[in-house]
Amino acid sequence: MAIKPSILIVDDRKENLLALEGLLEGCGADIHKASSGNEALSLLLNEDFALVLLDVQMPEMDGFEMAELMRGNDKTRQIPIIFVTAISKEQHYVFKGYDSGAVDYLFKPIESKILCGKVRVFLELWTKKQQLLEVLEQKSKLEAKLKQQAEFDTLTGLPNRALFHDRLKQALLMVERTKTQGALMFIDLDRFKYINDNMGHDYGDQLLVQAAKRLVSCVRKADTVARFGGDEFTVIIQNIHHESLAELIAKKINAELIKPFKLGVEEVQISGSIGITIFPHDSLDFDELLKNADTAMYKTKESGRNGFHFFTSEMNHSAHKRMAFDVQLQAALELEEFVIHYQPIIDISSRRVEGVEALVRWQHPGGKLKTPKEFIPLMEESGLIVPLGKWVLKKATQQAKKWFDMGLAPLRLSINISNRQLDDNDEFIESIKNALFESGLAAESLELEITENSMMEKLNNGIETCDKLKELGVKISLDDFGTGYSSIGLLRKLPIEKLKIDTSFINGVNNDPDNAATVAAIITMAKKLDLAVVAEGVETKDQLIFLEQNRCCKVQGYYFFKPLPVDKCTNILFTQESPDKKTVTELNIS
Ligand code: C2E
Ligand code: MG
Ligand code: MG
């Protein structure tokens, strides 16, 4: 909305003020009056005027003096002044007025037409100026907003990656010049993905905003906390005399992040994994420093999260080694150096093999057969587990179909699924359908083992995927059961049909009363929930007896069979079908 302009009339004589006011009536401006220079100046400082009509001859402060004072002040310098005077048109007098800042003259007696004509021009100028100022103001607001968007993260308000780059570059120049040192921290929020996936992105966003605030509270004003992307933050700490200051800040950050966060009515707990690199000590190169901090952060993740590590050059060796190993694993996939062993699963009451679990191994070119724990965690980290999982699915379903075609009664084939494979539901379901279609194996013969921890991590997404699998006819079992924290309520919701009790519990059933009680309780609970139970890692007769007494229905372990290469497993599967009907226990070959 356009604002109305104001005109200030200054004259020591009241009748003059009133006369001018009368003449200006209807000119479209608010009229203000002052009867002295001082009164006028104080009005001018408090309000915005389009024009001043100024009497030249006044006691105390005359018009020229007041005009000089107006020119000397930023607030009033630009206001146009028309001098009103009765004095004759002597040139030197007029010039003096222009020198002191007048833009025009009105000579008494005042002609209404001339007055209104002149005033209108100034009012129009003022209106144009206001419009221009408005445009400029909008432009500068827009520019500020664009700058903010280009440099700051919209969610947390922290500097974004681009501004972080600038700040780190500046910090590097600064340490070189001032011969001081600084620290760069890389912070990753542990369990953020879990909360984001399961509680929804709104809560995820809230968590990021709150975490960002806590990070800022841990550093000094001059330091930079930036959002690097996703749940990753970076901190630049300048001018540190000793590494111990970076250590102190890292500890503070760890302590802040571990405190519970309130999201709506829920409380959640996360933690932070921090990597720290010191410049110029570790490097003065921008990219190298980032890599260092990231490497050190990974070290923290590997050591159990919620903590910090300073970068050391040894970490580089292990990072290089890991990268070289990644390359080898990629090649191993292409060259199909992986093999699958099959471990029979036995039904206790009939003592017959009722299924097999496919367990992958790597036939290393060096000659050694490597076990999953030597390569699966790394492949999960790099994502290579997804193509490996597909390969296992394809090969194992083909093998199961082959056994069926050879005349064996239908066997249940169990295949382990990594939670990375569950990251993309559609792709995963597609790969299962493909494997079944290409091998010709019946969906009912396939069982997928998902660990209790993976299931807890995926939760809602996981349930959705499992529902779809169930529709296909594929069975789901919860692997390594007992190591996670699922509740009975949750177990009821999961579309699973089997629990596999983790090896670590079976290990101690005969000498650790706690283990024995846990296993017995799991079996009882599973029966109530109508779930089948497999005890994994059965190595001794005593363990088998305990399980039998506690009515566990299926077992798997070295006591019966180790995971076997295809040929050996084929033999076993056929021998138990042999006419002499030897029980598997008697056949024990391990
Ligand atoms: P898991 O699925 O719990 O498999 C059971 C593990 O226990 C196997 O180890 C098996 O060899 C071992 N085991 C069986 N009976 C006994 C016993 O009596 N005593 C002892 N001490 N151990 C026994 P393995 O083959 O080393 O596999 C380890 C883990 O690697 C598996 O645990 C599974 O989580 C993972 N894994 C194996 N193959 C695959 C695969 O194709 N894909 C994925 N994603 N993971 C796999
Ligand atoms: Mg398994
Ligand atoms: Mg297991």
Side-chain angles (χ1 to χ4, degrees), residues 158-175 180-187 215-216 218-228 232-240 245-246 249-250 253 274-280 283-284 286 289-290 293:
L158 292 180
N160 64 13
R161 195 191 276 231
L163 185 54
F164 160 73
H165 273 228
D166 281 355
R167 298 254 175 105
L168 183 55
K169 288 215 161 116
Q170 276 169 23
L172 294 178
L173 290 174
M174 178 77 117
V175 289
T180 52
Q181 54 177 359
L184 170 67
M185 285 186 187
F186 206 100
I187 306 165
L215 291 180
V216 171
C218 294
V219 301
R220 301 164 301 184
K221 269 220 164 66
D223 302 328
T224 295
V225 178
R227 178 153 178 226
F228 198 69
E232 291 171 340
F233 296 86
T234 45
V235 177
I236 305 166
I237 304 163
Q238 296 203 59
N239 210 348
I240 56 172
L245 177 66
I249 292 177
I253 291 176
I274 307 175
I276 312 168
T277 187
I278 301 290
F279 50 87
S283 171
L284 259 178
F286 180 90
L289 282 170
L290 255 184

Side-chain angles (χ1 to χ4, degrees), residues 309-328:
H309 276 89
F310 278 95
F311 170 78
T312 62
S313 49
E314 289 78 54
M315 283 183 192
N316 257 346
H317 296 311
S318 63
H320 281 146
K321 253 174 60 197
R322 202 168 60 192
M323 258 157 61
F325 200 42
D326 260 358
V327 173
Q328 277 187 48

Side-chain angles (χ1 to χ4, degrees), residues 124-387:
E124 271 169 23
L125 268 175
W126 183 86
T127 310
K128 286 272 176 314
K129 189 177 144 198
Q130 295 308 313
Q131 287 167 350
L132 197 66
L133 283 176
E134 214 169 283
V135 170
L136 285 175
E137 193 183 338
Q138 274 172 17
K139 189 168 165 253
S140 73
K141 267 190 194 155
L142 191 70
E143 276 170 1
K145 196 170 162 200
L146 288 176
K147 188 168 148 65
Q148 171 86 15
Q149 278 171 357
E151 294 188 333
F152 292 86
D153 171 48
T154 38
L155 178 68
T156 58
L158 292 180
N160 64 13
R161 195 191 276 231
L163 185 54
F164 160 73
H165 273 228
D166 281 355
R167 298 254 175 105
L168 183 55
K169 288 215 161 116
Q170 276 169 23
L172 294 178
L173 290 174
M174 178 77 117
V175 289
E176 256 186 318
R177 219 176 37 235
T178 56
K179 305 277 172 259
T180 52
Q181 54 177 359
L184 170 67
M185 285 186 187
F186 206 100
I187 306 165
D188 188 277
L189 303 184
D190 309 318
R191 286 186 82 242
F192 173 77
K193 195 174 157 12
Y194 169 76
I195 289 165
N196 202 40
D197 286 350
N198 292 302
M199 294 179 67
H201 292 208
D202 278 353
Y203 277 162
D205 282 356
Q206 279 184 38
L207 180 57
L208 288 173
V209 171
Q210 291 183 33
K213 278 197 188 125
R214 291 194 194 176
L215 291 180
V216 171
S217 76
C218 294
V219 301
R220 301 164 301 184
K221 269 220 164 66
D223 302 328
T224 295
V225 178
R227 178 153 178 226
F228 198 69
D231 61 342
E232 291 171 340
F233 296 86
T234 45
V235 177
I236 305 166
I237 304 163
Q238 296 203 59
N239 210 348
I240 56 172
H241 297 297
H242 198 268
E243 283 185 7
S244 58
L245 177 66
E247 182 172 338
L248 202 76
I249 292 177
K251 281 183 177 157
K252 227 161 117 184
I253 291 176
N254 281 138
E256 274 302 314
L257 290 179
I258 200 91
K259 289 182 192 161
F261 286 85
K262 218 164 161 47
L263 304 179
V265 288
E266 316 245 8
E267 246 186 22
V268 299
Q269 198 178 23
I270 59 160
S271 54
S273 290
I274 307 175
I276 312 168
T277 187
I278 301 290
F279 50 87
H281 179 271
D282 296 337
S283 171
L284 259 178
D285 178 76
F286 180 90
D287 293 319
E288 203 172 327
L289 282 170
L290 255 184
K291 213 173 80 219
N292 289 352
D294 190 46
T295 306
M297 188 275 287
Y298 263 100
K299 177 80 188 162
T300 308
K301 289 253 181 212
E302 273 171 23
S303 339
R305 304 165 173 190
N306 184 30
F308 64 89
H309 276 89
F310 278 95
F311 170 78
T312 62
S313 49
E314 289 78 54
M315 283 183 192
N316 257 346
H317 296 311
S318 63
H320 281 146
K321 253 174 60 197
R322 202 168 60 192
M323 258 157 61
F325 200 42
D326 260 358
V327 173
Q328 277 187 48
L329 285 166
Q330 176 93 48
L333 259 174
E334 279 160 25
L335 299 170
E336 299 206 46
E337 287 172 359
F338 293 99
V339 288
I340 302 175
H341 284 189
Y342 295 88
Q343 188 177 31
I345 298 170
I346 291 104
D347 181 84
I348 295 193
S349 56
S350 66
R351 289 291 205 276
R352 297 185 69 82
V353 176
E354 64 121 51
V356 290
E357 177 174 2
L359 293 158
V360 72
R361 274 101 183 85
W362 176 17
Q363 186 58 67
H364 195 264
K368 207 179 149 240
L369 191 66
K370 291 196 182 276
T371 58
K373 75 168 188 298
E374 293 172 88
F375 58 88
I376 290 222
L378 271 163
M379 291 180 94
E380 288 191 320
E381 211 174 279
S382 67
L384 279 177
I385 192 72
V386 177

Side-chain angles (χ1 to χ4, degrees), residues 415-544:
I415 295 180
N416 292 286
I417 301 298
S418 153
N419 68 349
R420 288 298 297 265
Q421 287 171 271
L422 300 171
D423 283 345
D424 186 335
N425 291 358
D426 296 338
E427 189 192 335
F428 179 60
I429 304 272
E430 218 34 56
S431 67
I432 303 288
K433 282 186 185 162
N434 273 347
L436 289 172
F437 178 75
E438 279 170 18
S439 63
L441 186 73
E444 291 67 30
S445 301
L446 181 61
E447 176 175 310
L448 301 180
E449 296 190 4
I450 300 175
T451 65
E452 185 187 13
N453 282 320
S454 302
M455 192 63 108
M456 293 308 112
E457 224 166 88
K458 294 289 170 204
L459 222 58
N460 293 336
N461 274 345
I463 294 181
E464 203 184 305
T465 312
C466 292
D467 277 333
K468 284 191 186 144
L469 291 169
K470 205 174 165 187
E471 272 170 36
L472 291 178
V474 174
K475 310 279 185 294
I476 313 282
S477 62
L478 219 48
D479 203 357
D480 301 349
F481 188 78
T483 57
Y485 296 95
S486 48
S487 61
I488 296 194
L490 193 65
L491 283 178
R492 255 185 220 288
K493 267 204 270 177
L494 294 175
I496 54 170
E497 73 144 30
K498 191 184 279 175
L499 302 180
K500 297 191 78 172
I501 308 177
D502 192 60
T503 316
S504 56
F505 295 102
I506 307 303
N507 240 329
V509 283
N510 299 117
N511 42 34
D512 181 340
D514 279 351
N515 269 356
T518 308
V519 172
I522 293 177
I523 297 170
T524 311
M525 175 189 73
K527 283 240 150 61
K528 289 240 160 70
L529 294 172
D530 209 18
L531 298 172
V533 183
V534 179
E536 287 191 284
V538 179
E539 291 184 350
T540 66
K541 194 169 183 115
D542 287 344
Q543 288 167 355
L544 181 67

